[in-house]
Amino acid sequence: MQLVYQTDNLFDAHLLKHALEDAGIPAFVLGESLLGAGGELPLFGVLRVCVPDSARPEAEDIIAALALDTTGVAPICDDDDVPGLLPA
């Protein structure tokens, strides 16, 4: 198994898993059951998407096409006029 994607966003992890499965690549989300233990574990980096070794190159192409976690803008900043809204 190869780690192809790590995130703190459950939605992105499952979006990628389904995109990989639609392309015929078996994919597994690891760490999902750890989210309920947030008080005892770090909140970031516990979700991992893994694929079989032979599927890694194709999986990386799919990940690049989805462009997950690439906004580069934090959803809430201290200097926002309206917290939670992205700038226009």
Side-chain angles (χ1 to χ4, degrees):
M1 293 298 278
Q2 291 284 316
L3 172 67
V4 292
Y5 188 72
Q6 186 171 359
T7 184
D8 59 339
N9 184 330
L10 185 60
F11 296 109
D12 283 353
H14 278 279
L15 176 69
L16 177 58
K17 177 184 186 292
H18 292 290
L20 291 168
E21 289 175 341
D22 285 347
I25 300 172
F28 307 91
V29 176
L30 305 175
E32 186 173 1
S33 60
L34 298 174
L35 293 178
E40 301 294 326
L41 298 171
L43 295 175
F44 304 102
V46 295
L47 293 171
R48 299 171 311 280
V49 179
C50 296
V51 298
D53 296 345
S54 61
R56 184 181 179 125
E58 187 180 355
E60 288 175 345
D61 292 341
I62 293 169
I63 293 167
L66 288 175
L68 300 172
D69 289 337
T70 59
T71 60
V73 177
I76 298 176
C77 299
D78 289 338
D79 59 350
D80 283 347
D81 291 334
V82 181
L85 295 178
L86 296 175

